[in-house]
Amino acid sequence: NAGVTQTPKFQVLKTGQSMTLQCAQDMNHEYMSWYRQDPGMGLRLIHYSVGAGITDQGEVPNGYNVSRSTTEDFPLRLLSAAPSQTSVYFCASLGGNTEAFFGQGTRLTVV
Amino acid sequence: SQKIEQNSEALNIQEGKTATLTCNYTNYSPAYLQWYRQDPGRGPVFLLLIRENEKEKRKERLKVTFDTTLKQSLFHITASQPADSATYLCAPKAAGNKLTFGGGTRVLVKP
């Protein structure tokens, strides 16, 4: 049972480039979400999904897109990377009213 | 708007003492509230969940209280150890709603 798998672990992008952060879970959880965490700060919600085909915005959605075509996968797309998007990104999944499981994080630097 | 507040100042405590952390929320009607631990460079890890109809929950040296009238949860680490040093995050959640976190409180247990 792998839990929540995030790839890549590290990424450096140039300003204006696009990329997709991958997130997959094998626990059949309906709820999945993406967060960013900046130094010394808490987790800020970017986008979330309560099931396949359903997504919604969190606190800081600008510059990011998501889709949820399957229960297992919830990719996060950066359309045109900016230095302000330099951060650590975490994906999480939640089953029913239980605990959330987090991926190992992606450390993204935009230069 | 919904708000989750935790002490942003680090809590320095002597080994063996009890650490008490506070989580206050506004404009929420959570069905339950969760506490997580986060170590540097890692994703949060679930510790405890307390439901709206529960006043107190314990797990080993951890105790959580939940007062829906005060809109507050207290998190206690008794007989604290240096290994308890980490950042602790609270997350009140309404059923079917998004999962958002407080900014976290860093705890440093000194031997």
Side-chain angles (χ1 to χ4, degrees):
Chain A
N1 192 339
V4 178
T5 303
Q6 266 184 256
T7 55
K9 285 186 186 179
F10 302 94
Q11 183 70 50
V12 178
L13 287 179
K14 292 183 179 178
T15 297
Q17 284 185 317
S18 62
M19 80 160 293
T20 299
L21 279 62
Q22 301 291 345
C23 178
Q25 53 95 4
D26 60 1
M27 296 170 283
N28 204 32
H29 287 168
E30 292 295 326
Y31 180 99
M32 295 183 75
S33 50
W34 276 101
Y35 303 86
R36 62 175 288 172
Q37 187 170 38
D38 300 305
M41 297 185 68
L43 298 164
R44 289 190 290 171
L45 181 65
I46 305 172
H47 285 285
Y48 67 102
S49 169
V50 297
I54 306 168
T55 63
D56 206 346
Q57 295 182 349
E59 306 163 83
V60 289
N62 292 341
Y64 308 95
N65 271 2
V66 292
S67 60
R68 185 94 181 271
S69 55
T70 66
T71 299
E72 294 77 22
D73 299 297
F74 191 43
L76 178 73
R77 296 183 188 86
L78 279 70
L79 307 173
S80 177
S84 60
Q85 293 179 305
T86 293
S87 189
V88 179
Y89 292 83
F90 288 102
C91 175
S93 75
L94 177 73
N97 291 334
T98 61
E99 64 186 276
F101 293 85
F102 283 80
Q104 59 192 356
T106 296
R107 188 173 294 273
L108 175 69
T109 302
V110 182
V111 298
Chain B
S1 62
Q2 296 178 328
K3 205 171 181 182
I4 308 166
E5 292 181 312
Q6 295 185 252
N7 268 357
S8 57
E9 283 185 29
L11 179 63
N12 292 299
I13 191 164
Q14 204 66 37
E15 182 176 8
K17 300 293 186 183
T18 297
T20 298
L21 285 63
T22 304
C23 174
N24 295 299
Y25 58 90
T26 53
N27 296 321
Y28 265 97
S29 295
Y32 59 91
L33 189 144
Q34 299 178 333
W35 284 89
Y36 290 78
R37 169 185 173 137
Q38 187 175 25
D39 292 290
R42 311 290 292 268
V45 174
F46 172 80
L47 295 175
L48 277 168
L49 179 152
I50 185 166
R51 300 187 189 281
E52 59 179 335
N53 60 349
E54 298 176 315
K55 295 289 186 189
E56 182 179 297
K57 202 83 169 275
R58 291 176 186 259
K59 179 182 175 183
E60 296 173 354
R61 294 184 294 107
L62 306 179
K63 185 178 88 170
V64 172
T65 63
F66 193 14
D67 189 326
T68 55
T69 302
L70 290 178
K71 296 187 183 296
Q72 181 181 81
S73 175
L74 299 179
F75 177 83
H76 306 271
I77 308 171
T78 59
S80 59
Q81 303 169 358
D84 295 326
S85 298
T87 297
Y88 293 85
L89 307 167
C90 74
K93 190 176 183 305
N97 206 348
K98 56 192 175 185
L99 181 65
T100 51
F101 291 82
T105 299
R106 187 168 163 234
V107 173
L108 181 59
V109 182
K110 297 179 179 178

